[in-house]
């Protein structure tokens, strides 16, 4: 772990037991399995994968909002260091101020009965971070201005605002406690494409100006390419590839990453023709296949893949991949 790392996970697993019948074995949802990552301070770290890949659960475990079944999650912002798997109540209260979540749905996230001022101020009041109403108002105005909200609108109710404005209110609420770490879970997925770029640019500006670290969870790789400096790809609760964004997009090594990238719409008709369609569904996390978890959908699976689970292997400058055949497939594809 470098002294520039904010979050380090080692072998992190999140399992949920399912309530079953009285007979038969008890089933367990293995939502996250053996994940080890490092998120550098001040980075915009992307986490991608299809629905059911475990990315939201991993994000929640890093906020200590999902149970940590095995492994370690270390948070170190240079001021405090917490082991989230063994954190006590007082430290967890402090961590809640330092780590915040931006929700996907700006319509469901805001109470229709509260003014914008009260929505943004609520975390300060609940966490007891200000000493007077005047101080609270000052903090609300400061973050509202940073999120490019019109200060005249603080007395209005959320229904008066568009989706993009509501998401900026949600962002202001998440940032008013001055967190160091922010999980943005599909933060622009519910917005019109024309508004998405505005909100992404706002998040990037805020991250740079406030020195924040973002975990940006998305199913949309074109959005991730726009804002993230590092990307981790998840499949069925495991990391299958991690790399700096440029490297991942230029030289993807895992067949799953390649399939996700080739599904990004292209204006080039030749590229469109080469799109590799992902067949089938992601298997159930209660009953994952043996060996490589991607073997049921991978066009390159061989016998070994069905028996032996590949490790996440370091293959060069911050690039890691979990595939038995990454080397030979890279050579084959380079010659094609
Ligand atoms: Fe495909 Fe085998 Fe690589 Fe898994 S290990 S991604 S099944 S080639």
């Amino acid at each position: 772990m470098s002294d520039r790392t904010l979050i380090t996970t080692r072998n992190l697993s999140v399992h949920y037991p399912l309530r079953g019948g009285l007979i038969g074995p008890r089933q367990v949802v293995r939502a996250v399995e053996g994940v080890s990552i490092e998120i550098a301070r001040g980075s915009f770290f992307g986490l991608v994968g299809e629905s059911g890949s475990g990315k939201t659960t991993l994000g929640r475990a890093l906020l200590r909002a999902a149970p940590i079944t095995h492994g370690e999650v270390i948070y170190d912002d240079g001021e405090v260091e917490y082991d989230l798997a063994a954190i006590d109540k007082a430290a967890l209260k402090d961590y809640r101020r330092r780590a915040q979540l931006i929700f996907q749905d700006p319509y469901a996230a805001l109470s229709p009965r509260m003014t914008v001022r009260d929505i943004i101020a609520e975390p300060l009041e609940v966490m007891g971070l200000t000493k007077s109403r005047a101080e609270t108002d000052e903090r609300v105005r400061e973050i509202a201005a940073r999120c490019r909200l019109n200060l005249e609108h603080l007395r209005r109710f959320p229904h008066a605002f568009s989706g993009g404005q509501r998401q900026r209110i949600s962002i202001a609420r998440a940032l008013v406690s001055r967190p160091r770490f922010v999980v943005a879970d599909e933060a622009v997925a519910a917005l019109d494409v024309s508004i998405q770029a505005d909100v992404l640019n706002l998040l990037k500006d805020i991250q740079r100006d406030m020195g924040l670290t973002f975990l940006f969870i998305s199913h949309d790789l074109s959005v991730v390419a726009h804002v993230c400096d590092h990307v981790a790809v998840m499949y069925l609760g495991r990391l299958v590839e991690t790399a700096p964004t440029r490297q991942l997009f230029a030289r993807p090594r895992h067949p799953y990453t390649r399939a996700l990238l080739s599904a990004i719409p292209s204006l080039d008709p030749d590229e469109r023709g080469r799109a590799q369609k992902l067949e089938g569904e992601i298997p159930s996390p209660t009953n994952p296949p043996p060996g490589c978890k991607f073997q049921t959908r991978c066009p390159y699976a061989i016998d070994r893949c069905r028996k032996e689970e590949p490790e996440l292997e370091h293959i060069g400058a911050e690039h890691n991949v979990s595939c038995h055949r990454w080397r030979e497939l890279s050579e084959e594809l380079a010659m094609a």
Side-chain angles (χ1 to χ4, degrees):
M1 182 170 76
S2 104
D3 61 359
R4 294 281 307 135
T5 306
L6 184 79
I7 301 265
T8 306
T9 76
R10 293 191 195 100
N11 229 356
L12 168 65
S13 296
V14 178
H15 297 170
Y16 296 102
L18 278 184
R19 260 190 249 152
L22 292 173
I23 48 171
R26 212 162 174 225
Q27 287 200 307
V28 174
V29 179
R30 296 172 192 279
V32 173
E33 191 73 1
V35 167
S36 300
I37 46 167
E38 291 191 354
I39 301 178
R41 288 185 205 156
S43 66
F44 219 105
F45 193 101
L47 190 57
V48 299
E50 294 164 285
S51 162
S53 61
K55 54 193 192 308
T56 290
T57 308
L58 176 57
R60 286 177 182 264
L62 302 191
L63 292 172
R64 200 51 171 81
I68 295 169
T69 312
H70 300 297
E72 278 184 330
V73 181
I74 307 296
Y75 169 89
D76 177 6
D77 63 14
E79 201 177 272
V80 296
E81 182 176 333
Y82 296 131
D83 172 357
L84 299 190
I87 196 166
D88 65 27
K89 236 176 157 182
L92 186 57
K93 194 172 163 213
D94 178 58
Y95 185 63
R96 296 266 181 258
R97 174 177 74 78
R98 292 170 189 270
Q100 286 285 329
L101 174 69
I102 298 171
F103 291 95
Q104 171 180 0
D105 186 349
Y107 289 89
L110 307 178
S111 167
R113 286 182 211 87
M114 292 168 78
T115 63
V116 172
R117 181 263 172 213
D118 289 348
I119 288 169
I120 299 173
E122 192 176 45
L124 295 176
E125 286 157 358
V126 169
M127 292 188 249
L129 299 177
T130 46
K131 293 188 182 69
S132 65
R133 187 172 170 96
E135 191 188 346
T136 305
D137 282 339
E138 185 53 38
R139 290 272 289 265
V140 168
R141 277 198 296 273
E142 178 196 316
I143 200 67
R146 220 182 247 284
C147 293
R148 298 172 200 152
L149 288 164
N150 184 336
L151 301 187
E152 306 276 299
H153 294 168
L154 291 174
R155 271 178 283 163
R156 296 193 185 170
F157 290 86
H159 65 80
F161 297 95
S162 67
Q165 288 169 319
R166 283 173 183 232
Q167 195 55 313
R168 278 189 265 134
I169 297 168
S170 286
I171 293 167
R173 179 185 161 93
L175 300 183
V176 75
S177 65
R178 297 179 181 155
R180 305 289 175 85
F181 177 49
V182 178
V183 175
D185 189 358
E186 299 283 8
V188 297
L191 303 177
D192 288 348
V193 174
S194 57
I195 312 287
Q196 283 187 1
D198 270 0
V199 174
L200 289 172
N201 290 335
L202 174 69
L203 291 177
K204 264 309 242 192
D205 291 349
I206 286 174
Q207 180 240 357
R208 192 192 49 234
D209 297 347
M210 294 176 74
L212 299 178
T213 305
F214 267 81
L215 178 69
F216 187 81
I217 300 174
S218 181
H219 68 284
D220 186 341
L221 271 131
S222 50
V223 168
V224 166
H226 186 69
V227 287
C228 295
D229 34 56
H230 209 97
V231 184
V233 182
M234 278 190 91
Y235 187 79
L236 204 58
R238 280 92 172 153
L239 293 182
V240 297
E241 187 158 10
T242 68
T245 308
R246 274 167 185 251
Q247 174 127 342
L248 189 98
F249 277 71
R251 279 185 289 279
R253 298 304 192 197
H254 196 282
Y256 181 58
T257 313
R258 286 207 185 99
L260 290 180
L261 287 176
S262 82
I264 297 177
S266 170
L267 294 175
D268 178 346
D270 290 345
E271 287 295 324
R272 282 205 298 264
R274 273 201 286 269
Q276 182 190 326
K277 199 164 173 283
L278 260 176
E279 302 288 348
E281 300 276 312
I282 195 163
S284 162
T286 55
N287 190 21
C292 173
K293 303 307 163 219
F294 190 53
Q295 50 113 333
T296 54
R297 302 168 80 192
C298 180
Y300 311 106
I302 54 174
D303 235 23
R304 182 182 177 199
C305 308
R306 291 182 258 280
K307 293 181 188 139
E308 199 184 310
E309 184 159 6
E311 300 269 326
L312 193 68
E313 184 187 342
H314 183 64
I315 63 166
E318 298 183 84
H319 199 155
N320 301 286
V321 69
S322 150
C323 171
H324 295 307
R325 304 190 66 201
W326 74 266
R327 196 171 272 111
E328 56 186 293
L329 291 175
S330 303
E331 282 163 13
E332 262 174 44
L333 287 165
M335 285 191 290

